[in-house]
Amino acid sequence: MRPNDLTPSAVDELLEGSARRETLSEEYQRVAGTLDDLRLLQTAELDPLAEAKAVQAMAEAAGEARRRLWRTSRPRLVPVGLRFALALGAVIIVGTAGAAVAGTSLPGTDVANAVFQQLGLEPEDEADEAADEADREADEAEREAEEGERDIPLPEPAAAGQAKAAQMAANAAAFAEAVRVWTSCVRDAAMVHESLGTREDFDPVAACGDHPSVIGVGNDDDDGDDPGNGGGRPQGAGPPAGAGPPADAGPPAGAGPPSSAGPKGPGSGGPPANAGPPAGAGPPAGAGPPG
Amino acid sequence: MHADERFENVLEAAQAGEEWALTVLYRRNQPALLGYLRTQRPVDADDIASETWIAVARGLRRFKGDEEALRRWIFTIAHRRLLDLRRDEFRRPQAVSEEAAAQAGIQESPPAEAEALASLATRQALEQIASLPADEAEVVVLRVVAGLSARDVAAITGRSAGNVRVMQHRALRRLAKKLFDKTFVTLLRSLAM
């Protein structure tokens, strides 16, 4: 093979050391010899001292890499473990406190007691007995109290309060019914008015009369000392929220006049359903006649 | 030395930091690595080899593959280290000129350990290879000394496999011509004497 005949496969054979010398020209036989000498580097002897130093340095580098890996991963591991421990501690504390307040045992206590009993330990016998005794005493006291309640007459102020509450409930029911009827009337009248196509404005008062709150339906307490009582108030002068009677004495939710169906007053519509006037109370803020 | 020196076991132990396994890997690859570096940077070949091994040790835990892949990885690290050094030298030219270096006794010659490493024939072969252009010499050494394929050499040096084949072809032709010229000159000298 002449220098110009060097094929790619011949190059590979030379470089890999698999070329047959007899097929090579003199030049490439020398090249093959040079490459063989170069290949001896693969099996060259190493200096033991240099080898020991290098291996020592490698071991230290590998150890440092492991420590660095631990340092970089630790910040992620520690908070996870800390969070878990804190959550577990919180669950134990809350569970124990809750069980102490409720006077019951923790969910796993029965299982633990069963295990202890199987082992013959029974660690909570005394505590159980004390708890049972306390329960019995509490039941007995409660039973005595119930029996006593039947015989004891209500004191005078309590009886008066009960009577007033019953009256207020009746007033609330009457007011709610009146509002329902008036609202239904206005709705029908408005529908008719709209279908007629008249140019006049629709007047709910003319069609169905005054609003029950104006009339005073459900209001038999006319001493005028209750907030919101007695024939309406000037616009915007209604009681502040929460200043009326207790919520349970008011009309049921949704019984208040809808704002769109309210009488045409100078106000801005009726109150929301749950903010409506209490039983026997005056008109909602803005629903009364102008002040 | 450990009894079971199958590569999988050696690699696993080396990844755990076992010195015997690191020694095995070092012995199997260091001669070729050093030979490669000596053709590229005769003066600081040992230092670059040490840095390469430290880098290998640091990244060994993440390595996955067979022995060929490990050798490829080692030479890739060494090649990149060489590139870094050349880049640094390009950015920071030596203040000391070659003449001043010669006066100071600094010479571009391999250290004594490296000298002892190679036999006379090997040294002559290294000199012949070192006389080639640097990129061609690198391709030849990676193929012959490291025993890598043209595709592996291409991956390490960042060239295409076709480019590597062209370079190795040119290198062998150039080497053949040099050897022929050297023989011819030697023959002429012997005739003249």
Side-chain angles (χ1 to χ4, degrees):
Chain A
M1 182 177 66
R2 307 305 303 167
N4 289 334
D5 300 334
L6 190 62
T7 61
S9 61
V11 170
D12 281 337
E13 288 173 358
L14 279 169
L15 292 171
E16 292 164 5
S18 59
R20 294 174 61 189
R21 294 290 176 93
E22 60 269 20
T23 63
L24 299 174
S25 65
E26 190 178 348
E27 292 91 338
Y28 283 104
Q29 283 185 11
R30 290 199 187 94
V31 169
T34 301
L35 296 180
D36 285 343
D37 292 340
L38 198 63
R39 206 167 281 115
L40 290 175
L41 283 172
Q42 291 180 344
T43 56
E45 288 292 324
L46 295 170
D47 179 14
L49 186 61
E51 177 186 297
K53 285 182 182 175
V55 170
Q56 179 72 24
M58 287 168 66
E60 289 175 3
E64 178 62 29
R66 279 198 302 277
R67 283 191 292 276
R68 193 182 304 121
L69 180 67
W70 163 242
R71 280 200 298 270
T72 53
S73 61
R74 187 175 51 182
R76 288 195 299 275
L77 293 174
V78 169
V80 169
L82 192 60
R83 280 198 291 270
F84 178 74
L86 287 173
L88 187 63
V91 166
I92 291 171
I93 291 169
V94 170
T96 307
V101 170
T104 59
S105 59
L106 288 173
T109 309
D110 294 338
V111 178
N113 287 341
V115 172
F116 280 127
Q117 285 171 3
Q118 286 290 328
L119 295 171
L121 298 175
E122 299 183 2
E124 296 192 359
D125 282 352
E126 294 180 2
D128 287 344
E129 287 175 6
D132 291 345
E133 184 66 25
D135 287 344
R136 276 196 297 274
E137 289 177 0
D139 291 344
E140 198 170 338
E142 192 176 348
R143 195 164 48 248
E144 288 174 358
E146 287 176 356
E147 288 172 357
E149 277 178 2
R150 294 191 200 107
D151 301 333
I152 300 172
L154 286 172
E156 190 63 23
Q162 276 192 347
K164 188 169 185 177
Q167 181 63 39
M168 289 173 72
N171 289 344
F175 177 76
E177 178 61 21
V179 168
R180 190 186 64 76
V181 171
W182 187 86
T183 305
S184 176
C185 171
V186 169
R187 188 186 302 117
D188 294 341
M191 200 180 303
V192 170
H193 178 81
E194 191 174 348
S195 64
L196 291 174
T198 57
R199 291 182 180 177
E200 297 173 0
D201 289 340
F202 175 65
D203 186 359
V205 177
C208 300
D210 284 332
H211 189 271
S213 60
V214 177
I215 298 168
V217 174
N219 180 17
D220 54 359
D221 180 12
D222 45 9
D223 54 1
D225 59 350
D226 292 337
N229 182 26
R233 291 175 303 281
Q235 179 185 359
D248 56 357
S259 57
S260 61
K264 275 194 175 180
S268 57
N274 56 359
Chain B
M1 192 58 63
H2 203 267
D4 192 359
E5 290 191 1
R6 281 185 304 174
F7 178 74
E8 296 80 14
N9 299 330
V10 172
L11 178 63
E12 190 177 345
Q15 287 173 331
E18 297 282 346
E19 285 197 17
W20 69 266
L22 294 170
T23 305
V24 171
L25 294 182
Y26 180 86
R27 284 182 180 171
R28 287 182 185 175
N29 294 285
Q30 169 68 358
L33 177 65
L34 201 54
Y36 163 64
L37 293 173
R38 282 189 62 198
T39 61
Q40 303 295 307
R41 303 269 304 193
V43 177
D44 44 10
D46 286 289
D47 293 339
I48 300 172
S50 299
E51 292 170 7
T52 301
W53 279 113
I54 288 173
V56 167
R58 283 180 183 151
L60 199 58
R61 286 177 64 87
R62 296 188 300 273
F63 174 78
K64 289 177 183 175
D66 57 6
E67 192 161 13
E68 289 299 314
L70 178 69
R71 173 167 285 221
R72 208 161 43 231
W73 182 47
I74 292 170
F75 278 89
T76 302
I77 293 173
H79 174 75
R80 289 181 182 169
R81 185 69 193 131
L82 284 170
L83 290 182
D84 289 343
L85 284 173
R86 287 171 188 156
R87 221 173 276 134
D88 288 347
E89 286 177 355
F90 180 75
R91 288 176 189 149
R92 293 176 299 170
Q94 294 277 341
V96 182
S97 65
E98 288 185 5
E99 189 178 352
Q103 287 174 355
I106 303 171
Q107 294 179 347
E108 282 279 325
S109 60
E113 291 176 7
E115 283 290 325
L117 179 71
S119 65
L120 179 63
T122 308
R123 263 185 285 150
Q124 288 176 342
L126 279 171
E127 286 172 6
Q128 292 294 330
I129 297 297
S131 67
L132 296 172
D135 50 355
E136 291 179 11
E138 183 176 34
V139 167
V140 170
V141 171
L142 285 173
R143 290 225 53 192
V144 175
V145 179
L148 299 169
S149 67
R151 185 175 296 177
D152 291 342
V153 173
I156 290 171
T157 57
R159 298 185 177 95
S160 68
N163 192 2
V164 168
R165 291 192 179 281
V166 169
M167 289 175 70
Q168 66 190 18
H169 187 270
R170 284 181 187 161
L172 292 189
R173 284 186 62 181
R174 204 185 305 268
L175 192 61
K177 186 172 184 309
K178 282 179 182 293
L179 291 172
F180 178 77
D181 291 347
K182 186 179 178 183
T183 307
F184 187 69
V185 169
T186 307
L187 183 62
L188 285 179
R189 278 181 184 168
S190 63
L191 289 174
M193 292 171 67

